[in-house]
Amino acid sequence: MRIRIVDAFTDRPFAGNPAGVLLLDAFPDDAWMQDVAREVNHAETAFTHRLPEGGEADWALRWFTPVTEVTMCGHATLATAHVLATTGAHEGPVRFDTLSGVLTATPQPDGSLTLDFPTAPLLPVEVPEGVAEALGAEPLGAFDTGPNIGDLLIELADEKTVRGLTPDHRALGRYSARGIIATARAADPVAEYDYISRCFFPNVGIDEDPVTGSAHTALAPFWSDRLGSPALTGLQASARSGLVRTTLQGDRTLLSGRAVTVIDGELLA
């Protein structure tokens, strides 16, 4: 079967967040999908198959990291929608049936794709003891992001602090189900982005995720409230880096970005 590697939330190869994408006739055994995800060894591998016409969704979609299945993934959803659009497997908006409900991806005239995801609920919490030491910076505040995301969102003093983090990844795993989102306002008020983030997910086998769509369902309400605008752009400042345009619409968040197929091959196993 065909397997593709797609760089998501970027308009150029070897940037953004890579994801494996497989178009299937049906979902195989879970163990096989986990083996494939381990072999691909990117943050996520997406498995999708077409659903019968007339239902609430067009395709079923699941996501696996190298070590576990996850309930939500933005960049692998963007990558899957990109493959469907560029191969002609699906035209127009596509509805995915997922563990997080029905998620929609809509192609835009400029070649980007817009994902419609549930907004993460933000609950202020006390900064857990030991987080500052594990992260390597003093938090300004902490927020639980709810069960779909499963992260602890940490606000830091400034962009320089976020960029300079060298965390203890193993220690960070103690503080949330998936990991830590570290964020701060952009240093330059006229930059192409409004806020910056880095994401560390040791509990699902990803020390630092290059660009995390799902995290932006929490970053969007966090920064829209503080900056007074529903439409913002976030920069995830990993080594690969990527931009995510976010639009807050109440209990839904729109995530927009581009994607590039870099490998189109054959899976033999």
Side-chain angles (χ1 to χ4, degrees), residues 93-161:
V94 55
R95 300 166 300 167
F96 293 110
D97 180 37
T98 78
L99 291 176
S100 292
V102 175
L103 306 176
T104 303
T106 303
Q108 302 299 326
D110 65 357
S112 66
L113 290 152
T114 297
L115 309 179
D116 183 337
F117 273 41
T119 300
L122 294 179
L123 177 66
V125 295
E126 293 292 327
V127 176
E129 185 177 352
V131 163
E133 292 75 14
L135 197 57
E138 192 64 40
L140 300 181
F143 299 80
D144 181 85
T145 60
N148 280 344
I149 307 301
D151 296 330
L152 185 68
L153 188 150
I154 297 289
E155 183 183 8
L156 297 177
D158 50 36
E159 179 173 331
K160 181 179 179 181
T161 302

Side-chain angles (χ1 to χ4, degrees), residues 47-204:
F47 302 86
T48 188
H49 69 80
R50 192 187 301 273
L51 294 171
E53 293 185 4
E56 65 176 7
D58 307 301
W59 292 74
L61 178 61
R62 294 171 69 180
W63 313 279
F64 287 78
T65 78
V67 300
T68 190
E69 184 174 11
V70 297
T71 58
M72 180 183 288
C73 180
H75 88 276
T77 304
L78 187 76
T80 303
H82 168 80
V83 169
L84 294 178
T86 56
T87 62
H90 189 95
E91 295 184 359
V94 55
R95 300 166 300 167
F96 293 110
D97 180 37
T98 78
L99 291 176
S100 292
V102 175
L103 306 176
T104 303
T106 303
Q108 302 299 326
D110 65 357
S112 66
L113 290 152
T114 297
L115 309 179
D116 183 337
F117 273 41
T119 300
L122 294 179
L123 177 66
V125 295
E126 293 292 327
V127 176
E129 185 177 352
V131 163
E133 292 75 14
L135 197 57
E138 192 64 40
L140 300 181
F143 299 80
D144 181 85
T145 60
N148 280 344
I149 307 301
D151 296 330
L152 185 68
L153 188 150
I154 297 289
E155 183 183 8
L156 297 177
D158 50 36
E159 179 173 331
K160 181 179 179 181
T161 302
V162 174
R163 289 185 179 274
L165 293 174
T166 56
D168 180 340
H169 296 289
R170 301 284 75 77
L172 287 182
R174 304 170 189 160
Y175 301 108
S176 65
R178 184 171 70 166
I180 299 289
I181 305 167
T183 188
R185 186 171 182 171
D188 184 352
V190 296
E192 63 176 341
Y193 54 93
D194 302 289
Y195 57 90
I196 189 169
S197 67
R198 289 174 67 187
C199 295
F200 309 102
F201 304 140
N203 290 341
V204 293

Side-chain angles (χ1 to χ4, degrees), residues 1-4 21-22 24 28 32-33 35-37 39-40 45 47 264-269:
M1 67 186 68
R2 298 279 284 279
I3 183 169
R4 296 167 175 88
V21 179
L22 291 94
L24 307 167
W32 181 86
M33 290 190 284
D35 284 342
V36 171
E39 188 78 8
V40 171
T45 298
F47 302 86
D264 186 345
E266 187 176 0
L267 180 65
L268 302 176

Side-chain angles (χ1 to χ4, degrees), residues 201-216:
F201 304 140
N203 290 341
V204 293
I206 306 165
D207 282 350
E208 180 167 6
D209 198 35
V211 189
T212 314
S214 60
H216 285 76

